[in-house]
């Protein structure tokens, strides 16, 4: 899974061509809606970062 | 003259002949470097180029023929530059210079193996973040490679050997000769460029006289007399080069004499720090338990992370170092640390909210270096919100674990000294890399010289004892080592913030700004109240690490408050309300703003042979310059876009998305065609008749500067509100609730007897209601904290006070200190009048007089302020509308600029500016005397 590619359109977490890791972790920590949607909408990252509990999916990144 | 360093002689030459004797840095060199050099690096490199060009008899006619350049022996120079000032970058530039000249074999030597790794990453490893060359090296129009080798080949390849001086010395011993290693004979057949790093270690001979046998066998002799100045050819024919680099030349007479005529550039740490290129050091002493020490440092780490996130500072990852005297103790600290983090709860931080202020103390360093208490208070404030404590615990648990916390001693190391894997060494040399996980380091003394780190923000000294071994006059060696470790941490972590220089401190004038902590380094140590602390402070001060310019604090005088309680409690100051408005590029950008003047520095040419003993100042001949005008839209698009990319074209402050909205455009190409930028005209004065003759690099420089200036103005205009004529009041006693603190750099003039006499006058005067105090000492400064014009104005008021007191019940002069801001009616530009004079006419009426002392050179530039003062005066002055607050009536009076008699006379005798005939000292004086009627 190429996480950088999956996240490439989220301008908030890029410092020119370098991923801004502290910002990414902060968004993950605060369950940022846009980030979670991006991860959820990709098959591979959904599998890696979400767990299905009943009818819902829980983010455990 | 003979006692002067080479660098001082070059400075002298610059002074006599003008800066233009220094060559420009050739594009062939700057284009081959990944990053631009800093101005101080450029200065150093130009000194080097000047020396070498004179030595090689460059065809440049503007070069003076100075006697201090040694033409009859091989070049041997020393760059004596502070830690972190970028010596390796200079080394890279020097390599490129010699590659251009045809040199192909480079020998890098130093005394420590960890420096070898770092150098390899800087000069050889293209994939490394800190690789200094451009990805593709172009030498004399050919693509080339600089290859690392163990032994120089006989080919024409560009090769570099990276060795410790000890191993090179051993390799050249006859008993160690072997295949695939260059013999001395082979090295002597080459034209070598020798680069010696941390060169202060190469002075065994100069340090103490040795026997002939010792000299023969030591490695300094190997480098100097066997490789560099070998006997195979004469010195005149010897084309070898030896460039040495160090931050610290040993202060021994012999060594200093050895280097005097070789120091091509001298950049002491003090100068480097004063140029704003370092962090500021703070030492905090504490009486905390070992666990609390760890947690205290972690809280600082979290707070920095939090501030950086809040302000959009990208990839900010502060690192902490925990220092110990012994490997065993360090290992135990490391294990304990991981245990603490694993079991961390919010209750562990209770010690922070109780009596932490009593347990910490700022060491008595310079005034810019005592912020432990201030930052702790800021952190405690942040932690008042209980949710923050949970966040803090989460942050620490996520970021400090076995992967990100390292110890500089491998588990299986059985030796007495520390030992780490080369992989860890590489990671430690690259802590700034966003992918680098390391957040904390436990060490004894593994990390000293050659450790290149920008994001080390805190060092915690875990020992509680004193370093032994010093004397009353000499600092203990272990303390010197600790101070040197602190020296590693002063490297500035560059970050973008608005338009400020990425590589420079940004908050020297705003010390209470929360972002300031991102340019401060903290050294935490147990409060032993012993020789240790005073020693380390002394050492740091002597070496220029601390003691910056003083911080002043401005507040109301106690005497004034006591004697004038009614006025202090009921008096007010006035500000006008502002209205926000939408930005309209066509309306809000003036025609005038669209015309930018730019002067490209002209060359000065001098032709004269000199020796400094018989020197007459030569005539300077300015190269002819030509005026030309062009529109930005006429410049080639690729240059325009490169310029845009160079001026901080990302981040929140000035991003493309910001301009997209502001100018209503779809892509960055439209910014030059469909916006006001298409009308932007540059009036250029340069040595080029037209742009066609100008190198693209120069055009890029001009366009970048012009764009930066213009877009900054656009953003200011966009953010600007419009001032209204609705004046509202605020309580006077709220003005200095938080006293204004700022770093003040006093001029020589401000320390003159005259200036000090004015300071004494205003500090004692009952009519001057604020006092200026040195923040740390709580004493009066030994300088007048203001401009010459402000000083003269205070004298003027003093002379007028007797007359004023005849007419007015009370006279109070308030120095504004940039706190009371008014907004211009037309443009919305804000300004803060320097002084407000309160004149109490009777029980009910105050004249509230706005006064702006102004140097004559600024009168025209700031004329909008004077116009605004006049408008306010017309509306609310003697004949205007009265304002009321707390049962007082106020007349707001705006006066013309105050210009002192002396300065206006001096200025008028030298300059002739438009409208200058109308300007005189009397403008202000007449208007002021009207108040007495």
């Amino acid at each position: 899974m190429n996480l950088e590619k999956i996240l490439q359109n989220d301008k908030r977490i890029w410092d020119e061509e370098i991923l801004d890791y502290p910002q990414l972790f902060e968004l993950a920590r605060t369950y940022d809606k846009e980030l979670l949607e991006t991860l959820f909408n990709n098959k591979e990252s959904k599998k890696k970062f979400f767990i299905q509990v009943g009818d819902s999916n829980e983010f455990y990144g | 003259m003979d006692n002067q360093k080479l660098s001082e002689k070059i400075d002298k030459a610059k002074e006599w002949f003008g800066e233009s004797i220094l060559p420009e840095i050739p594009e062939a060199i700057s284009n081959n470097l990944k990053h631009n050099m800093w101005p101080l690096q450029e200065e150093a490199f130009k000194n080097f180029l000047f020396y070498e060009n004179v030595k090689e008899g460059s065809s440049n006619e503007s070069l003076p023929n100075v006697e201090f350049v040694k033409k009859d022996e091989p070049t041997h120079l020393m760059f004596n530059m502070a830690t972190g000032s970028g010596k390796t970058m200079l080394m890279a530039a020097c390599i490129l210079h010699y590659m251009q000249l045809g040199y192909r074999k480079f020998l890098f030597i130093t005394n420590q193996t960890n420096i070898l790794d770092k150098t390899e990453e800087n000069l050889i490893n293209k994939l490394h973040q800190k690789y200094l060359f451009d990805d593709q090296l172009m030498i004399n129009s050919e693509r080339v490679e600089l290859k690392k080798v163990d032994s120089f080949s006989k080919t024409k390849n560009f090769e570099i050997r990276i060795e410790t001086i000890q191993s090179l010395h051993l390799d050249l011993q006859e008993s160690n000769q072997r295949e695939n290693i260059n013999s001395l004979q082979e090295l002597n057949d080459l034209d070598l460029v020798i680069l010696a790093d941390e060169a202060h270690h190469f002075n065994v001979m100069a340090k103490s006289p040795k026997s002939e046998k010792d000299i023969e066998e030591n490695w300094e002799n190997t480098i100097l007399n066997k490789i560099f100045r070998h006997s195979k050819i004469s010195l005149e024919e010897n084309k070898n080069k030896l460039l040495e680099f160090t931050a610290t030349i040993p202060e021994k007479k012999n060594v200093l004499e050895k280097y005097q005529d070789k120091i091509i550039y001298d950049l002491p740490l003090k100068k480097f720090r004063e140029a704003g290129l370092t962090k500021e050091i703070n030492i905090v002493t504490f009486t905390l338990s070992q666990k609390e020490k760890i947690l205290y440092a972690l809280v600082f780490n979290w707070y920095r992370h939090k501030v950086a996130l809040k302000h959009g500072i990208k990839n900010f990852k502060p690192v902490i170092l925990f220092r110990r005297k012994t490997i065993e103790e360090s290992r135990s600290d490391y294990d304990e640390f991981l245990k603490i983090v694993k079991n961390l709860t919010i209750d562990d931080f209770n010690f922070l909210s109780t009596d932490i202020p009593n347990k910490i103390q700022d060491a008595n360093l310079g005034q810019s270096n005592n912020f432990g208490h201030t930052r702790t208070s800021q952190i405690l404030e942040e932690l008042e919100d209980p949710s923050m404590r949970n966040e803090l615990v989460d942050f620490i648990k996520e970021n400090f674990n076995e992967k990100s916390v390292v110890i500089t001693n491998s588990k299986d190391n059985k030796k007495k000294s520390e030992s780490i894997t080369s992989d860890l060494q590489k990671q430690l040399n690259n802590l700034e890399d966003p992918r680098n996980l390391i957040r904390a380091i436990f060490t004894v003394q593994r990390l000293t010289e050659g450790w290149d780190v920008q994001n080390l923000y805190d060092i915690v000294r875990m020992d509680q004892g004193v370093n032994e071994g010093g004397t009353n006059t000499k600092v203990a060696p272990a303390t010197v080592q600790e101070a040197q470790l602190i020296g590693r941490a002063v490297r500035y972590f560059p970050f973008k913030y608005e338009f400020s220089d990425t590589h420079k401190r940004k908050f020297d004038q705003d010390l209470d700004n929360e972002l300031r902590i991102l340019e401060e380094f903290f050294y935490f140590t147990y409060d032993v109240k012993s020789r240790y602390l005073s020693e380390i402070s002394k050492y740091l001060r002597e070496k220029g690490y601390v003691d910056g310019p003083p911080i002043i604090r401005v507040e109301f005088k106690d005497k004034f408050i006591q004697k004038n309680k009614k006025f202090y409690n009921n008096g007010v100051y006035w500000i006008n309300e502002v209205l926000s408005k939408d930005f309209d590029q066509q309306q809000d950008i003036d025609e005038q703003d669209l015309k930018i003047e730019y002067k490209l520095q002209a060359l000065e040419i001098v032709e004269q042979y000199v020796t400094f003993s018989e020197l007459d100042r030569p005539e300077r001949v300015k190269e002819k310059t030509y005026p030309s005008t062009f529109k930005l839209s006429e410049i080639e698009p690729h240059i325009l876009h490169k310029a845009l990319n160079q001026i901080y074209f990302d981040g929140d402050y000035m991003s493309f998305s910001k301009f997209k909205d502001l100018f209503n455009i779809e892509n960055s190409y439209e910014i030059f065609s469909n916006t006001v930028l298409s009308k932007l005209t540059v009036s250029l004065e340069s040595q080029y008749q037209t742009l066609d003759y100008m190198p693209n690099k120069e055009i890029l420089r001009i366009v970048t500067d012009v764009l930066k200036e213009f877009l900054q103005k656009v953003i200011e205009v966009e953010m600007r509100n419009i001032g209204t004529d609705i004046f509202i009041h605020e309580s006077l006693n709220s003005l200095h609730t938080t006293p204004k603190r700022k770093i003040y750099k006093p001029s020589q003039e401000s320390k003159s007897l005259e200036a000090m006499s004015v300071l004494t006058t205003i500090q004692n005067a009952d009519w001057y209601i604020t006092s200026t105090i040195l923040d740390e000492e709580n004493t009066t400064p030994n300088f007048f904290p203001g401009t010459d014009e402000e000083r003269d104005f205070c004298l003027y008021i003093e002379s007028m006070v007797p007359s004023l007191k005849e007419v007015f019940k009370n006279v109070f002069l308030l120095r504004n200190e940039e706190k009371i801001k008014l907004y211009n009616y037309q443009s919305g530009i804000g300004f803060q009048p320097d002084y407000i004079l309160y004149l109490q006419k009777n029980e009910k009426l105050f004249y509230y007089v706005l006064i702006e002392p102004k140097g004559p050179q600024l009168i025209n530039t700031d004329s909008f302020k004077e116009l605004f003062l006049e408008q306010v005066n017309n509306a609310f002055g003697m004949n205007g509308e009265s304002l009321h607050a707390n049962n007082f009536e106020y007349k707001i009076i705006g006066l013309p600029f105050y210009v002192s008699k002396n300065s206006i006379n001096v200025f008028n005798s030298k300059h002739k500016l438009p409208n200058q005939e109308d300007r005189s000292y009397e403008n202000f004086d007449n208007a002021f005397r009207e108040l007495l009627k």
Side-chain angles (χ1 to χ4, degrees), chain B residues 767-804:
Chain B
W767 48 267
Y768 196 92
I769 64 177
T770 54
S771 60
T772 303
I773 296 162
L774 285 175
D775 191 43
E776 196 59 31
E777 289 96 335
N778 268 326
T779 55
T780 307
N782 61 349
F783 52 87
F784 176 83
T787 62
D788 295 353
E789 219 60 46
E790 289 164 1
R791 190 191 66 199
D792 287 350
F793 169 70
C794 289
L795 278 179
Y796 174 86
I797 291 292
E798 192 211 7
S799 72
M800 295 302 287
V801 161
S803 315
L804 288 167

Side-chain angles (χ1 to χ4, degrees), chain A residues 4 11-23 25-26 29, chain B residues 129 305-306 309 313-317 391 394 398-399 434-435 496 650:
Chain A
E4 295 195 354
K11 286 178 185 165
R12 298 171 302 165
I13 51 174
W14 289 93
D15 178 13
E16 292 173 3
E17 289 167 2
I18 301 165
L19 196 56
D20 181 2
Y21 289 89
Q23 179 64 27
F25 295 148
E26 179 65 7
R29 191 184 66 78
Chain B
Q129 201 199 8
H305 157 84
K306 192 91 190 123
L309 269 185
I313 311 295
K314 306 282 186 186
N315 269 318
F316 184 80
K317 189 180 59 99
E391 192 186 315
D394 288 349
E398 276 168 25
N399 289 284
R435 292 167 200 86
K496 291 173 183 172
D650 66 346

Side-chain angles (χ1 to χ4, degrees), chain A residues 8-58:
Chain A
Q8 66 186 356
N9 291 326
D10 191 343
K11 286 178 185 165
R12 298 171 302 165
I13 51 174
W14 289 93
D15 178 13
E16 292 173 3
E17 289 167 2
I18 301 165
L19 196 56
D20 181 2
Y21 289 89
Q23 179 64 27
L24 171 62
F25 295 148
E26 179 65 7
L27 294 176
R29 191 184 66 78
T30 53
Y31 301 106
D32 177 76
K33 189 170 172 277
E34 192 180 327
L35 176 72
L36 264 56
E37 273 175 6
T38 308
L39 294 172
F40 190 76
N41 290 334
N42 178 284
K43 221 183 194 179
E44 286 178 285
S45 57
K46 182 179 173 183
K47 198 174 158 191
K48 185 164 172 68
F49 295 115
F50 292 86
I51 185 166
Q52 190 155 4
V53 183
D55 289 341
S56 48
N57 287 276
E58 190 178 324

Side-chain angles (χ1 to χ4, degrees), chain B residues 39-295:
Chain B
L40 291 173
Q41 287 170 328
E42 283 191 358
E43 206 173 281
F45 191 59
K46 284 180 180 180
N47 274 11
F48 162 78
L49 285 180
F50 169 74
Y51 185 94
E52 283 295 75
N53 287 352
V54 172
K55 182 173 158 55
E56 300 301 332
S58 161
S59 57
N60 185 346
E61 287 175 2
S62 68
L63 283 178
N65 198 348
V66 284
E67 62 179 7
F68 53 75
V69 173
K70 294 180 180 171
K71 294 186 170 181
D72 50 1
E73 52 183 283
T75 303
H76 181 180
L77 299 172
M78 155 66 84
F79 290 88
N80 183 200
M81 295 170 68
T83 300
S85 58
K87 291 188 285 294
T88 321
M89 174 70 142
L90 270 173
M91 214 180 274
C94 293
I95 290 175
L96 290 169
H97 170 74
Y98 288 128
M99 285 169 92
Q100 297 282 340
L101 295 184
Y103 283 81
R104 284 159 193 276
K105 309 297 172 193
F106 298 86
L107 174 61
F108 175 92
I109 46 170
T110 188
N111 71 318
Q112 283 183 21
T113 46
N114 63 322
I115 298 176
L116 303 182
D117 288 343
K118 180 185 89 91
T119 306
E120 195 171 328
E121 279 150 7
N122 289 152
L123 302 178
I124 299 296
N125 185 355
K126 283 187 181 178
L127 299 175
H128 200 275
Q129 201 199 8
K130 290 184 182 173
Y131 182 63
L132 292 169
F133 295 118
D134 196 53
D135 287 343
Q136 181 57 64
L137 280 180
M138 296 290 288
I139 299 295
N140 301 327
S141 309
E142 273 182 36
R143 289 183 170 200
V144 300
E145 289 278 335
L146 177 64
K147 278 190 185 157
K148 188 195 160 207
V149 293
D150 294 329
S151 181
F152 291 123
S153 69
K154 286 183 178 161
T155 66
K156 287 195 167 180
N157 293 343
F158 291 101
E159 294 172 340
I160 184 165
R161 276 180 69 175
I162 299 177
E163 304 270 355
T164 62
I165 190 162
Q166 298 88 342
S167 74
L168 179 71
H169 172 68
L170 288 175
D171 281 348
L172 294 177
Q173 302 300 304
E174 275 182 24
S175 53
N176 290 336
Q177 286 292 304
R178 56 194 195 276
E179 216 179 331
N180 300 328
I181 290 292
N182 297 126
S183 65
L184 188 61
Q185 180 73 21
E186 284 168 338
L187 290 180
N188 290 166
D189 286 341
L190 299 167
D191 290 334
L192 275 181
V193 176
I194 306 167
L195 306 152
D197 198 11
E198 303 290 353
H200 52 284
H201 290 290
F202 303 170
N203 290 289
V204 276
M205 290 195 292
K207 271 184 188 170
S208 54
K210 304 270 174 182
S211 70
E212 269 187 33
K213 185 168 177 289
D214 284 344
I215 289 174
E216 181 55 30
E217 287 177 2
N218 80 47
W219 34 257
E220 185 186 7
N221 183 49
T222 304
I223 295 297
L224 272 183
N225 299 328
K226 293 184 179 173
I227 302 178
F228 175 56
R229 289 167 171 263
H230 57 84
S231 55
K232 211 171 164 185
I233 47 172
S234 68
L235 286 178
E236 287 87 349
E237 289 169 310
N238 187 330
K239 290 195 163 44
N240 285 342
K241 309 280 181 185
L242 173 55
L243 305 181
E244 299 192 35
F245 299 80
T246 187
T248 45
I249 294 180
E251 283 165 12
K252 290 183 185 293
K253 194 167 172 270
N254 287 349
V255 182
L256 293 172
E257 277 173 7
K258 172 184 159 185
Y259 284 122
Q260 191 170 292
D261 59 350
K262 299 178 180 62
I263 297 174
I264 188 77
Y265 194 69
D266 190 20
L267 177 60
L269 186 78
K270 191 174 163 57
K271 186 176 168 191
F272 189 51
R273 188 167 63 83
E274 283 173 359
L277 294 162
T278 62
K279 297 192 197 95
E280 284 289 10
I281 295 173
N282 290 261
I283 295 188
V284 175
T285 61
F286 47 36
T287 47
L288 300 174
S289 69
Q290 297 294 80
K291 179 178 175 181
E292 287 169 344
K293 282 181 195 174
I294 288 172
L295 294 178

Side-chain angles (χ1 to χ4, degrees), chain B residues 369-432:
Chain B
N369 313 83
N370 292 335
F371 280 84
H373 259 114
T374 309
R375 303 301 167 234
T376 306
S377 303
Q378 286 173 333
I379 293 170
L380 290 181
E381 210 171 290
E382 189 76 19
L383 285 171
E384 271 173 17
D385 176 355
S387 70
M388 282 296 146
R389 295 203 167 205
N390 284 321
E391 192 186 315
L392 168 64
V393 171
D394 288 349
F395 169 82
I396 292 172
K397 288 195 168 200
E398 276 168 25
N399 289 284
F400 294 87
N401 50 47
E402 279 184 333
K403 279 185 187 163
S404 60
V405 180
V406 298
I407 178 163
T408 61
N409 190 44
S410 313
K411 265 189 175 170
D412 51 359
N413 176 35
K414 303 287 179 230
K415 285 186 278 179
K416 281 190 176 168
S417 59
E418 293 169 290
S419 164
I420 54 174
T421 62
S422 70
D423 184 45
L424 179 56
Q425 183 65 58
K426 280 184 178 146
Q427 287 182 54
L428 288 170
N429 280 341
N430 197 22
L431 287 174
E432 300 86 1

Side-chain angles (χ1 to χ4, degrees), chain B residues 297-324:
Chain B
L298 285 170
V299 168
F300 266 69
N301 187 283
W302 165 76
Y303 182 69
R304 285 199 182 87
H305 157 84
K306 192 91 190 123
V307 168
L309 269 185
K310 181 175 163 189
H311 293 275
I313 311 295
K314 306 282 186 186
N315 269 318
F316 184 80
K317 189 180 59 99
V319 172
I320 316 173
L321 185 142
F322 295 91
R323 159 105 165 157
R324 261 294 191 182

